[in-house]
Amino acid sequence: MTWWAIQSSDDCVLDPAFGSGVFLLTAIDRLTYLGVSAETVSRQVAGVELSPLVFLMGLTNILLRYVPHTQLRLQWGDFLMP
């Protein structure tokens, strides 16, 4: 889905319930394929997860497969609440 949705190196991705992080990881792969640097990717990809346990599992999965020089924007909380 991310290979279809992300058409440009300027596209941004928000996953409002990132779970295991698979969608975010494929978004990172797609942006990298389009020539985006690791630092820039970290500004273009963001995710939110409500469950603390699922957040930790998704964060671990992402960190094991993608260790950027800068920090990804991942948040534990309710996407619908400010």
Side-chain angles (χ1 to χ4, degrees), residues 23-38:
F23 185 81
L24 293 178
L25 286 167
T26 58
I28 291 166
D29 289 344
R30 175 64 172 158
L31 288 168
T32 303
Y33 176 81
L34 292 171
V36 180
S37 70

Side-chain angles (χ1 to χ4, degrees), residues 32-67:
T32 303
Y33 176 81
L34 292 171
V36 180
S37 70
E39 182 180 341
T40 304
V41 165
S42 68
R43 291 191 303 261
Q44 290 176 239
V45 175
V48 181
E49 179 54 55
L50 180 60
S51 167
L53 179 59
V54 175
F55 175 84
L56 290 173
M57 290 186 331
L59 176 64
T60 301
N61 189 29
I62 292 168
L63 289 176
L64 285 172
R65 295 188 49 208
Y66 175 75
V67 182

